[in-house]
């Protein structure tokens, strides 16, 4: 078990290093570079050279990258020359809001997807299965921005029940106080993962319902509901744990669209604004944080799966 955890932790560290290296390489080789973006088009070559010397951009690329890693390990994520603030302060302000949006969306998606997946598996080949499958595929194929706009038109314009703009409060208390403004962004983002979760729960439920232990439980006279919930569903949720960690990038990419669409002041909107102004420190810091969150989520999901599944504990993670 511990060998498995250590091996996965080492793999996670290597992945994070590769992501930071590739992102650092791509951003620092964009036309114009960071100096042109910071100083503007009117800057002279002498000003650009002076800026590069001041920021260390005149040094070889590998030295720049090593220095960046050193600053990263000390919590220094750079300075936003467009927002005139340290990047770490901006992230402290924005990250909790994106986490709130993503967690609420994931919870809503799971609460709806698990019962739907169970219904599909237990009614396999019947009209409930076909109906849920059709709706899930339609939701999965619909672009997120289009779904969000349709919800705004429907529930803010045609039926004015909810605000079209997300909460604009500075702190988390202000955001939660305007809970009605969170409904449309959360529902829109939940649709991203709802279809995938539903299909995944259906697939794992069907596999578990065909196992020998299910036949044994039925032969002992257990009711079908107890067999489905206590045995098949409980074992089917183990793979869903791993799926949660892998869907962190999807949640963030969805948050980028949703936050821009609903003007929600989170990490996604900040990243979108940084791409327009080519604010390198924000782009690099945001990409690094998402990579760390993705790898950490996958690692925690694998560890939780290993703890929950005895086959992984016994085999040391070889399966």
């Amino acid at each position: 078990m511990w060998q498995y955890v250590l091996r996965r932790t080492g793999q996670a560290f290597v992945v994070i290093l590769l992501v930071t290296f590739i992102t650092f390489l791509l951003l620092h080789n964009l036309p114009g570079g960071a100096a042109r973006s910071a100083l503007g088009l009117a800057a002279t070559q002498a000003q650009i050279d002076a800026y590069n010397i001041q920021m260390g951009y005149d040094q070889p690329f590998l030295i720049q990258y090593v220095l960046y890693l050193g600053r990263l390990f000390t919590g220094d994520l750079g300075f936003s020359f467009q927002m005139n603030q340290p990047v770490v302060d901006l992230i402290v302000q924005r990250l909790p809001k994106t986490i709130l949006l993503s967690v609420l969306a994931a919870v809503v998606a799971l609460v709806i997807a698990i019962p739907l997946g169970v219904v599909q598996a237990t009614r396999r080949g019947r009209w409930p299965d076909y109906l849920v499958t059709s709706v899930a595929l339609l939701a999965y194929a619909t672009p997120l921005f289009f779904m969000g706009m349709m919800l705004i038109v429907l529930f803010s314009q045609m039926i004015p029940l909810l605000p079209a703009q997300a909460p604009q409060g500075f702190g988390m208390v202000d955001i939660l106080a305007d809970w009605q403004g969170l409904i449309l962004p959360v529902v829109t983002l939940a649709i991203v993962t709802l279809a995938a979760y539903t299909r995944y729960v259906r697939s794992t439920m069907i596999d578990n319902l065909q196992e020998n232990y299910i036949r044994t439980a039925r032969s002992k006279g257990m009711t079908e509901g107890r067999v489905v919930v206590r045995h098949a569903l409980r074992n089917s949720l183990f793979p869903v744990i791993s799926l949660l960690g892998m869907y962190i990038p999807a949640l963030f990419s969805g948050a980028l669209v949703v936050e821009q669409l609903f003007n929600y002041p989170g990490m996604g909107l900040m990243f979108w604004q940084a791409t327009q102004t080519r604010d390198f420190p924000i782009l690099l810091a945001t990409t690094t944080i998402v990579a760390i969150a993705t790898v950490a989520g996958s690692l925690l999901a694998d560890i939780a799966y290993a703890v929950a599944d005895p086959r992984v504990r016994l085999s040391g993670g070889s399966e």
Side-chain angles (χ1 to χ4, degrees), residues 3-25:
Q3 293 179 353
Y4 172 70
V5 172
L6 291 175
R7 185 170 68 250
R8 290 290 291 113
T9 303
Q11 293 172 353
F13 183 76
V14 172
V15 170
I16 292 174
L17 283 180
L18 288 175
V19 170
T20 57
F21 180 82
I22 294 173
T23 306
F24 194 85
L25 175 63

Side-chain angles (χ1 to χ4, degrees), residues 1 13 55 59 71 86 96 98 105 120 136 139 146 172 177 222 243 245 268 295 312:
M1 173 64 185
F13 183 76
M55 302 301 295
Q59 300 185 30
R71 294 192 300 270
T98 297
Q120 286 185 277
F146 180 77
M172 293 294 293
M222 289 187 181
L243 190 66
V295 173
V312 178

Side-chain angles (χ1 to χ4, degrees), residues 169-243:
F170 182 79
M172 293 294 293
V173 175
D174 299 327
I175 295 291
L176 292 173
D178 188 13
W179 60 269
Q180 289 182 323
L182 279 173
I183 294 178
L184 287 183
V186 168
V187 171
T188 304
L189 186 57
I191 294 175
V192 176
T193 53
L194 175 60
Y197 286 158
T198 302
R199 297 294 296 171
Y200 206 75
V201 173
R202 176 188 182 275
S203 177
T204 55
M205 277 289 296
I206 290 175
D207 291 340
N208 280 282
L209 286 173
Q210 297 174 349
E211 294 290 340
N212 291 330
Y213 70 89
I214 296 294
R215 300 189 188 95
T216 302
R218 286 170 175 164
S219 66
K220 291 180 178 180
M222 289 187 181
T223 62
E224 187 64 20
R226 188 177 181 184
V227 169
V228 170
V229 175
R230 184 173 179 179
H231 295 282
L233 178 59
R234 184 173 63 181
N235 291 328
S236 298
L237 292 180
F238 291 150
V240 178
I241 297 175
S242 299
L243 190 66

Side-chain angles (χ1 to χ4, degrees), residues 97 165-171 174-175 178 181 259 262-265 269:
K97 300 173 185 178
Q165 182 171 262
Q168 298 299 302
F170 182 79
D174 299 327
I175 295 291
D178 188 13
E259 290 181 9
F262 291 94
N263 195 30
Y264 183 74
L269 182 60

